[in-house]
Amino acid sequence: MFDFDHGSIVAFSKSFGLFYLIALSIGVLIYVYWPSNKQRFEDAARNIIHDEDKPCR
Amino acid sequence: MVTQLTQNERFLGLIILIALGCLGLVMAAAGQHDPIGMHGWLVVVCSIVMIFVLANGYFAPEPSEARLEHYYDDPSKVGIVVAMLWAIFGMFIGDWVAWQLVYPDLTFDAAWSSFGRIRPAHTTGVIFGFGGNALIATSFHVLQRTTRARLPDQLSPWFVLLGYNLFCLIAISGYFMGITQSKEYAEPEWYADIWLVIVWVTYFLIYLRTLARRREPHIYVANWYYMAFILVVAILHIVNNLAMPIAWNQAKSYSAFSGVQDAMTQWWYGHNAVAFFLTAGFLGMMYYYMPKRAGRPIFSYRLSIISFWGITFMYMWAGSHHLHYTALPHWVQTLGMTFSVMLLVPSWASATNALLTLNGAWHKVRDDATLRFMMMAAIFYGLSTFEGSFMAIRAVNSLSHYTDWTVGHVHAGALGWVALITFGSIYAVVPWLWKQPRMYSPKLIEWHFWLAMAGTLIYVFAMWNSGVIQGLMWRTYNESGTLSYSFIDSLVAMHPYYFARAFGGLLFLLGAIIGFYNVLMTIRMAANVETGDEAVIGNPAAAGE
Ligand code: HEM
Ligand code: HEM
């Protein structure tokens, strides 16, 4: 059975990052290149250029 | 400024100040002759001063509802002036440290002015005093513009700004008295640390509350960087400062960590302080003020998101590159080294994204020193991250560690990246905040730019040279297998470089003083426009805008 000793904790700390970082990267890439997000990103980049003092809530 | 607060907010502010003053009295009474007692008095004095400021407008009528149609910028205005004051203080002390390394007699035989005390006064003054205030001030400005929402209330931003400066004062006055918990960039003792946690949580809540009110559906990337800065600094600060005071009325405490765990925790903190204090927050500045100033959207918004997640998640693992060849397990060192090298990718993605944003607007960069500040900052960001990734390689680190090469790398980042992007952003935001067409004198911005460039280059080249010479001298052996040079030989070889560095630093400091003058005169210009007197406006024919 799985032994919860020093060796297995070290093995876990050495490897879990590999999986979650790859998963994270894939997630980010999907979000960034999701076609329907394109317009939203372009708007976001453009919208900040204008008006400095316009109202708000 | 006080009259802009609602009567309710003034009342709450008064309560907070009275409570703080009482707390100071308790510290002073319980601490007595311990340095914590002195800090108690400092808290009392600061509270009383602020009570007087508040009293000045306390009974003024309620401010008009019309204020709610505009963004709330008073804290940003004060924050920027305070940041410039800290810049001058911190860099003055930094240059003093530099001259002490040239002429050791410049301690003047006093304890408070010894190298070990004024060095942290320099690092805290520039990083937390200058950098921190600039980040707080600009974050409030950027947050409101990009979300199109006003700050949720008018009291909490003041609590954050003033409370944060109280922390800086306690920290730096403590070093002069000899207080330190000897963790670099986390020197202040437990009571200052607890206070900072309270301030910082309030800061994060302001961010969340404003975002909850936002009108813009998408959260602009600059806010992500600012939020990463606030959130991660909170986590780092709390974990690294876990400690037990020897008594509740004494300043000294003992860390919860010891041995190599202590070292790893400290440099996990230390490197992420670089990543999230000195990098993420300032990237937030860059992603807003650079496109605004250039009048062009960021080159690739997608790339900015990818590099955001790359930077935030890879930096977390890089801290162990500060502990090469120590008792830290070898694989942890290798892990830190690998992540540091990979970190180059998102770092250069950000730098490239910034430069490509300017591509097509080079004529603006040529004419406008403000934009040039930002462009050079992006170049130095690329340079110092390349250098960092290189120094993180174990074999390279065996040469660079303990030498001035590290100090050169630090200031390529600190002067070239952090300070330049901050000055550029301040020159952009000051006319907007005070509703002026431009800064008081574009010529003086030009002067500041060239002084800053000259200062940075002299500083960095001096340290690169001296660092590599130091490193090589320490590892040169003669035929009989003993060291060719004594330590004192290497010290003598450093002398001319230390002189050059101190001179370069002086130029950089002069630039900052000129910048402060320019900011003050712009504020005066605004005050005079209100009273109808145009006489102080500088020469409009000068270059740039
Ligand atoms: C007028 C400009 C400046 C001068 C003359 C200056 C000078 C110095 C000196 C002499 C040291 C000590 C080096 C040693 O122990 O050998 C130092 C350390 C340091 N300075 Fe500066 N500095 C300046 C500006 C800045 C700025 C603007 C920042 C940050 C935004 C900064 C951040 C630091 C840091 C983080 C260290 C510690 C480096 C380490 O431990 O390796 N400095 N500086
Ligand atoms: C990819 C990005 C970066 C990497 C991989 C990196 C890597 C490194 C390495 C290897 C060291 C030397 C550690 C030692 O030998 O003790 C170091 C020191 C340092 N770096 Fe960086 N660096 C990066 C970016 C930056 C930036 C942008 C700044 C500043 C704005 C900065 C500020 C510092 C400071 C303050 C230290 C000195 C720490 C100390 O010993 O007190 N770094 N960095």
Side-chain angles (χ1 to χ4, degrees):
Chain A
M1 259 309 291
F2 185 72
D3 220 3
F4 202 65
D5 59 2
H6 179 75
S8 49
I9 294 176
V10 170
F12 174 73
S13 29
K14 281 182 180 179
S15 49
F16 82 97
L18 178 69
F19 300 105
Y20 105 78
L21 282 171
I22 288 181
L24 179 96
S25 324
I26 294 174
V28 169
L29 285 174
I30 291 178
Y31 167 70
V32 163
Y33 285 100
W34 201 259
S36 62
N37 280 343
K38 186 174 187 329
Q39 193 58 40
R40 167 200 284 257
F41 293 153
E42 280 171 7
D43 290 346
R46 222 172 321 101
N47 285 352
I48 62 145
I49 303 296
H50 309 294
D51 46 68
E52 156 72 11
D53 215 19
K54 276 294 167 41
C56 41
R57 52 172 162 200
Chain B
M1 302 233 162
V2 177
T3 53
Q4 277 295 307
L5 299 178
T6 65
Q7 280 165 353
N8 209 0
E9 285 166 340
R10 290 174 215 163
F11 178 68
L12 264 174
L14 187 65
I15 302 266
I16 294 176
L17 286 172
I18 291 175
L20 194 64
C22 293
L23 191 69
L25 270 182
V26 172
M27 279 166 70
Q32 293 193 4
H33 300 301
D34 192 80
I36 200 175
M38 289 293 290
H39 273 156
W41 289 117
L42 179 71
V43 174
V44 172
V45 170
C46 289
S47 317
I48 292 180
V49 169
M50 287 321 296
I51 288 175
F52 270 104
V53 172
L54 194 61
N56 234 337
Y58 195 81
F59 295 106
E62 191 82 1
S64 86
E65 285 291 312
R67 75 183 194 287
L68 297 177
E69 276 153 38
H70 298 278
Y71 299 120
Y72 187 51
D73 286 334
D74 288 352
S76 299
K77 290 181 177 176
V78 172
I80 283 185
V81 174
V82 173
M84 289 304 288
L85 283 171
W86 278 115
I88 293 172
F89 170 82
M91 292 181 201
F92 169 77
I93 302 275
D95 208 34
W96 183 10
V97 178
W99 287 111
Q100 267 192 6
L101 287 168
V102 187
Y103 304 113
D105 283 342
L106 289 177
T107 51
F108 308 115
D109 259 345
W112 69 269
S113 56
S114 56
F115 179 83
R117 295 197 187 178
I118 66 171
R119 191 187 191 275
H122 161 59
T123 54
T124 304
V126 283
I127 299 177
F128 297 110
F130 167 53
N133 275 294
L135 286 169
I136 293 176
T138 56
S139 70
F140 289 153
H141 177 260
V142 171
L143 172 63
Q144 298 183 91
R145 268 65 184 181
T146 51
T147 58
R148 291 178 204 274
R150 193 175 205 267
L151 293 178
D153 72 306
Q154 301 182 122
L155 186 63
S156 56
W158 287 115
F159 178 76
V160 170
L161 184 72
L162 300 173
Y164 179 74
N165 279 287
L166 179 62
F167 166 79
C168 294
L169 281 179
I170 290 180
I172 290 182
S173 59
Y175 309 150
F176 289 131
M177 294 191 280
I179 300 179
T180 176
Q181 58 176 6
S182 33
K183 280 176 174 258
E184 204 177 6
Y185 316 124
E187 291 93 345
E189 274 290 359
W190 59 277
Y191 50 100
D193 292 337
I194 294 176
W195 174 246
L196 185 63
V197 172
I198 300 172
V199 169
W200 216 247
V201 169
T202 316
Y203 187 19
F204 194 58
L205 288 178
I206 294 181
Y207 238 87
L208 294 185
R209 285 157 68 210
T210 312
L211 285 175
R213 294 153 49 82
R214 74 181 187 276
R215 259 209 196 152
E216 196 67 36
H218 178 78
I219 302 175
Y220 184 66
V221 65
N223 291 316
W224 289 97
Y225 281 100
Y226 278 119
M227 271 198 294
F229 147 64
I230 305 171
L231 184 66
V232 178
V233 167
I235 298 171
L236 299 168
H237 173 75
I238 291 172
V239 175
N240 190 39
N241 286 305
L242 289 175
M244 182 58 96
I246 54 174
W248 292 108
N249 60 354
Q250 292 191 33
K252 173 109 191 83
S253 68
Y254 284 98
S255 171
F257 307 97
S258 63
V260 74
Q261 283 85 358
D262 184 36
M264 188 62 251
T265 312
Q266 156 61 22
W267 285 107
W268 167 76
Y269 165 88
H271 201 73
N272 285 308
V274 167
F276 290 89
F277 212 106
L278 293 177
T279 300
F282 293 94
L283 281 171
M285 252 187 219
M286 183 184 84
Y287 275 117
Y288 181 76
Y289 292 105
M290 184 188 263
K292 271 287 290 213
R293 183 75 185 185
R296 304 160 63 85
I298 190 78
F299 169 73
S300 165
Y301 194 79
R302 283 172 166 165
L303 189 58
S304 74
I305 302 181
I306 297 177
S307 31
F308 171 78
W309 290 106
I311 285 176
T312 37
F313 277 79
M314 287 187 196
Y315 254 119
M316 279 291 170
W317 300 71
S320 53
H321 67 218
H322 290 266
L323 298 168
H324 281 326
Y325 302 101
T326 62
L328 196 70
H330 203 260
W331 70 268
V332 185
Q333 298 176 25
T334 309
L335 186 76
M337 168 174 119
T338 316
F339 269 90
S340 306
V341 174
M342 290 196 297
L343 201 47
L344 187 62
V345 176
S347 303
W348 273 35
S350 300
T352 314
N353 209 349
L355 292 175
L356 287 177
T357 304
L358 295 177
N359 194 16
W362 295 116
H363 59 287
K364 289 190 189 167
V365 177
R366 188 193 57 210
D367 297 338
D368 179 6
T370 303
L371 205 52
R372 221 178 307 130
F373 263 110
M374 301 183 191
M375 179 202 73
M376 286 314 298
I379 290 181
F380 272 105
Y381 178 64
L383 188 90
S384 54
T385 50
F386 175 77
E387 184 184 25
S389 301
F390 186 58
M391 289 165 70
I393 298 168
R394 201 165 11 228
V396 181
N397 200 259
S398 73
L399 178 69
S400 74
H401 193 71
Y402 296 127
T403 72
D404 287 327
W405 188 350
T406 306
V407 179
H409 161 69
V410 169
H411 289 84
L415 303 178
W417 157 239
V418 170
L420 292 191
I421 192 69
T422 306
F423 290 136
S425 303
I426 286 181
Y427 285 135
V429 79
V430 162
W432 294 335
L433 282 177
W434 274 275
K435 315 257 180 291
Q436 295 301 302
R438 56 175 175 75
M439 288 294 295
Y440 164 73
S441 165
K443 258 222 178 87
L444 288 182
I445 306 183
E446 223 30 89
W447 270 95
H448 183 182
F449 177 80
W450 289 109
L451 282 170
M453 281 323 298
T456 308
L457 290 176
I458 294 175
Y459 192 127
V460 172
F461 274 100
M463 289 297 99
W464 280 337
N465 272 324
S466 102
V468 173
I469 293 176
Q470 244 176 348
L472 291 177
M473 284 176 90
W474 292 342
R475 56 156 68 168
T476 305
Y477 294 88
N478 55 27
E479 294 91 61
S480 52
T482 56
L483 288 172
S484 300
Y485 302 99
S486 68
F487 184 75
I488 201 82
D489 289 335
S490 71
L491 213 56
V492 171
M494 296 308 92
H495 191 81
Y497 299 108
Y498 283 0
F499 188 90
R501 181 255 306 270
F503 176 70
L506 186 65
L507 298 185
F508 202 89
L509 171 66
L510 284 178
I513 294 174
I514 292 179
F516 185 53
Y517 172 76
N518 209 350
V519 169
L520 287 187
M521 291 308 281
T522 311
I523 298 173
R524 248 188 81 186
M525 215 158 89
N528 282 317
V529 169
E530 271 166 28
T531 57
D533 171 8
E534 304 262 330
V536 284
I537 295 186
N539 173 15
E545 209 246 348

